[in-house]
Structure formats: C-alpha cells, structure tokens
Amino acid sequence: MSDGEADMGDTRDSDEKRTKNRTDENRTGGTQASGEVFLPGAPAPEPPALEEPTTPRHPLPPKPDQTGPDRRTPTGAATDLPPQAVAQQGQYLTTAQGARLPDTDHSLKAGPRGPVLLQDHHLREKITHFDHERIPERVVHARGAAAHGVFEANGAAEGITKAAFLRAGVRTRVFTRFSTVLGSRGSADTVRDTRGFATKFYTQEGVYDLVANNIPVFFIQDAIKFPDVIHAGKPHPDREIPQAQSAHDTFWDFVSLHTEAQHHTIWNMSDRGIPRSYRMMQGFGVHTFRFENEAGETSLVKIHWRPRLGTHGLTWEEAQLLGGKDPDFHRRDLADAIEAGAHPQWDLALQVMPDTPDETFEGIDLLDPTKIVPEELCPLQVIGTMTLDANPSNYFAETEQVAFHPGHLVPGIDVTNDPLLQGRLFSYLDTQISRLGGPNFAQLPINRPHADVNDMLRDGMHQTAVHSGVAPYHPNSLDGGCPFEAGAAEGAFIEVPAPVAESVKERAKPASFDDHFSQVRLFYRSLTPIEQQHVADAYAFELGKCFEENIKLRQLRALASIDADLCATVAAALGVPVPDADADVEVLDLDPSPALRMVGEEWPIAGRMVGIVADAATDVAALEGVREAIADAGALPIVIAPTGGRLGEIPVQRSFHTATSVELDGVLVLAASADPRSAQLLAEAFRHGKAIGVVDEAVAGVEASGLDTQAPGVLTGALQVVAAGLLGLLPRHRVWERLELGGEPAVTPAPARPTSPSSPDRP
C-alpha cells in the first residue's frame, strides 16, 4: 500500500469516528431533549434562533454527516486545508471581489423613487451571476443524488487484475451518484425507470469510473441507436409530456419495433423498475470488461454491486403515492440514513470468464449488452465492499458537477469491443465538455484526481491550474524533458494488446446478437408468482396509456414470444384479443435463474423505519421503551400522533397530517382510540404488505376500522411480544403471503374486444 493510500484510510477513519460519535450522542440524548431518539433531517448544524440574528459571526460548519471533495490542487496534490477553507469566508457580506457591502436589499437609485443607476456594480454582479447559475442538465440521468464513501478491497481480485486499488486492505475514497434516466432534474424519484449507479474511485493510479445501472442489460446493442431510444423515451416533443416515464406511444412504438430492447424492457416492468431505496438497489456494469493481472493474463469480466440490505422494490401504488406526497423520497432516504449512522454498503463482485477468441461463455456472446450471464453458470466473486458514510455539503458543486466517463480506467481494467461501450467512450467525454463549459472539467474539486497530474493540456475555459515551464509538448529539452513517458514498471496504463480478427469494414452485427427473446423468457420465468403478477400489471398500465391500438398489439405480439400466459393476462387487461407469437421467432427454453428473484430471502434492517401510532392516552413509559428497543435493533422509530408537539417529553415526529404509510416499513399501533386518518394509514400499509403490530388495548379500534387482524403479518398481543415479532418480520421486506392473497390490487382480466387499425378513441 502506498503512503497516499495509507493516509487516505486514516482520514476516512477519523471521518467515520466523527460520524459515529455524533450518531451515538444523538441516540443517547446529547444536546437534544432527554430520551429523544435521533431523527435525521435537521437542515442546519444548530437550531435557528426565533429572532433574526444581528451579531456578526463566521459561517457555520457543515453538519457532522456532511463532507466535501478532498482538498486537492487542480493537479492532484493533497493540501492541508480544512473543509471550511474552500467554503465562504468571513462574517460580512461582500462582492465577489471581497469588498464588504452595507446593503443587499435595495438597488442604487437616483432618489427613493428614482430610476436605478447603471453604476450599481453590486446589483449587476448579483443579477448577472444569478442569470448564469444554471448549467445544462444531463440529457439522461439528470435527476440524481450522491454520497461520499470508502471502498475497501479484500484481495480476492489480485489474481484477476493488477489494479492497485483492488489489493487486499487498500482503502479508496469514492463518490457515488444514483439517478433516474428519463426525467428532468425536477422530476420525481419514484417513477418507473432505469437507475444509474455511477461510482468514482479516487485511486492512486488515477480516477476509475464505474458507470453502472441497476439493470444488467441495455435497450440497444449498438451506441448508434442511443439517440433513438432516448428520443423515444423522452416526453413527446410537441407537448413535452409525459415527464419521466415510458408509459406513452413513442416509447412502446420503438421497443416493439426494435425488439432487442425487449430484455431491458421486461426488467424495467419488474419491481426493479421502482426501487424501494437507492440503498436497496443492485448495480451492474452492463458491459463485459477485460481484466489483466500482473502476469499479463486476461479474463473477461462482468461487474456487480450487491447491496448488503438486499434488493427491494416499491409497489406500484406506493410509487404513485410518493410521487405526490414526497417526490424526493429516494434522495431523502439516502441522506437521512447516512445522517442517522445507518451507512449503506454494497459488495463489489465479479463474474470472471475465460478470455477466449470467440468472447463467449456457455453460448452467450459476452459483447452483447442485451444479455446476462446467469449467476448459476458463473457465480459471483466478492472483491471488496463500499460504504457510503458522508453526505455532500453542496449539491451543485458535487452531485451536479461530478463528471463520469467509462474511459476513465486504471491499469488492469480495460474495455472490450462491445459496440455500445465503444460509442459511450466518445459520448461521455463530449457530454462533459458541453455541460461543464470546456475541457477542464477534471479540475472541478469533485472530479480532481488523487494522483499526480502532468498532462501537458493547457488553457481553455475554467483553467484553474497555474502551469509553470515553457514546453508543454513532448519531447522537449527546455523543461528538462519533463514530463516523461512511463512504462509498465512505472504503472502506466497500457491497453491490453487484444487481437483483432481479419475482417472487412461494414455496418453489421454478429449473428449471435440476433436472439432477442430467449433471455427475456428466462428472466420472466425465473420470478416468483407475485413478481410475475407485478410485471403483468406494469405492462397493462404502460400499454394502457398508449393511444394507438396497433402499438399495443405489436408489443403484445412480442409478449406472446416471451410467455403465452403473460401475453394473455396483459391482453385481457387491455381488452384486446390475444395475438399469436411470431412464427419466425425462435425462442429457447433456458433454465430459470433463481438469483434473479427479489423475493424469498432475509436482510439486515439497518435504517428501516417503524411508525409508532400513539396519542395523548398512550403510556409514555411504554412508548419510550419501545422506541429505544426499535433504535437498538438498528431501525428508526417514528412517533405518529394526531397532532405535532410532544407526548410527555417524547417528540411527535409525524402528525396524521404529515405521516405517510409509504415511508414506513412497519407500523406499531399503541393508540387505543380510533381515528379515520390512522385507519387510512393502516389500510395502505396493509395493502402494501407491511408488517403491522397492534397492542391488546388498540385491537378493538383497529378492527372497527375494518383491518383484518387475523391476516398474515398482523400481530396482536402484549407490547414487548408484538414489537419483537414486528422487528422479526422486517428482514423479509414485506409480508408476501398477504400480497399473494390479494392484499394489493392486481390486473383484473377484462373481456376482449375487436381490434382495429387505430385507437377506437380517436375522434
């Protein structure tokens, strides 16, 4: 391990201790009211005064859960600057040039009622900067949330790659950004969409970007089709609707005609299309990469992120409720969990396959980005763990300006000839230059490497390095020959000398890319019945939002090639005849892959939220005891009452006006009195398969509201017994038996009706 890597680990250790101490302090009371369990979400590091402050003071520090980019120079050198040194300075308001200002509320005028004067520099500077505050949002992945963290390698990859950050015990700082694909920056978090999962590793050999998705396959096989699929998925250009969703004609027109998109589409129609949380979401590198070890041996590799909390989704109704009640749900969930000390973790795992001349494995073309390699054929090898433990201190400077690129590689990790990946290697660099105003985006603090930079690149917009010397060219003698080229012994990034087969220049694809349906069938038939029902529900909703009948029928014909029962269920919901599968499409019956299921395992409950419904008649001592028990188990108790305020000394964190069932993973009812708003919250939690506990004295009121206390996952009895049982149900994510019994609305088959060339609703 290099000195830089050792220092980096020490710095992160101290950050972790500060966060842990802060969390422990809050959980045990700290400066808060006695007995108060820590609740994340405070907007500032200290409470505000009731009256406007008038005594000058220096800027407040970030909250304990927040950090910024490492304080590095534009050329990668570490500095001793504290975080506050790169934030605003001083007690007084100034211009951008540092001149103190006496007034920022009134323009300079010719008299109190006179015209504004052109000489008002402060007005012009303030308004001009405001006019230029925004930069172009990303064409895709515009809506994002991010966090800082650390990746620690376990050494299992040492025989696979020579990448130094994957050696045993090496700790590498990271910044990870999660995102939706189709929506604008202002869209909702919980739409049905693919999610981005991009991680920047600040390694001692340079920046390595792993630009992943939460779905392991993509819509297209060749990058030249990327503008087409995104244009099809984006809002219709005439009305700019619908926003952040694929439930419209142009999307289904494209994917039903361009059938290589069917595999990605069915993943998107599954529960993976609406994750429960970024903390509970897998990530996939999508492409096959070529790894090289110290001996020069190569392997073909697929990269996976596996969440320690398991992979979970929202129900469709939950996603709809959140779209109205809390469109920021996913970013809030991530930030609150980190602030509460429930730091999310993912294992980084590899599927390692021989680097054969045909670049296939078990008959699967590894250069086809619309195909997976089932884990049963090639098990995962865990090579390290990422922990996200600090929130950004400034969204724009970090989350918005971070620039990822799949071509940011380190020695030991190289690309393959996957035609989608090859196009991305151009597109990402071009995009960053457009968004961030020029070629010097790597000098933005969040993008700065933690390795020496001597690139001979000069000038350009936003150049913040102050270069010395007179010879930014190679070779030179005027600067003493510096910089010098490195060899393999000096850790240079040298592309793997992969052979290129003799061929001809043409616009074509290999025949092995032609099977668009066999793995789609494999995915669907690998799911549990309740997951299959959710897939059918999603297709029925999405196609039901299409106007043109022929687009629905064309997609149904594709579903017929995937699974006859799936096609029949969706066709019945749409009220159209069941089409025959295309006789010219050959579909293989591959062995199911149980690893593709999201249902059936148990997972840690760190950061899970349990709502405790109480009121003025609730025993305060019992309420405090159960809050502490839930917090001690690693979950987050949320007290819900008819109004805000306090129950005894215990703060009410949600009133019936602000509580929503969707943010809760379980509900514990202590209030004996019936309240219609409480009944609505419980009814929603019941429909969504949440664990529900009801103490003896509250059973009568709950039953009077119509809730079936005998249903699976509804516990009744003494408080301690019910609380323990509820915590025991949380690791399963939901009470799946209740959903399978009809606790959640599902597609109801409707009678078929005649088809016609266009929608019968067309005027």
Side-chain angles (χ1 to χ4, degrees), residues 21-33:
N21 290 340
R22 194 264 182 159
T23 302
D24 291 344
E25 177 184 278
N26 282 314
R27 284 199 181 278
T28 56
T31 59
Q32 301 186 21

Side-chain angles (χ1 to χ4, degrees), residues 682-753:
L682 289 174
E684 290 175 354
F686 184 90
R687 289 201 304 274
H688 304 150
K690 305 291 179 65
I692 299 174
V694 186
V695 298
D696 285 329
E697 53 267 37
V699 169
V702 168
E703 289 181 338
S705 72
L707 191 77
D708 181 5
T709 58
Q710 303 300 312
V714 181
L715 309 173
T716 59
L719 176 56
Q720 290 185 338
V721 175
V722 169
L726 186 144
L727 289 172
L729 290 174
L730 293 184
R732 300 179 57 207
H733 182 57
R734 298 188 192 277
V735 182
W736 295 104
E737 300 90 336
R738 193 191 306 151
L739 297 188
E740 291 166 357
L741 292 172
E744 184 200 12
V747 168
T748 302
R753 56 190 174 88

Side-chain angles (χ1 to χ4, degrees), residues 362-373:
E362 297 289 340
I364 301 166
D365 192 326
L366 298 179
L367 300 189
D368 183 350
T370 69
K371 302 294 190 299
I372 64 168
V373 176

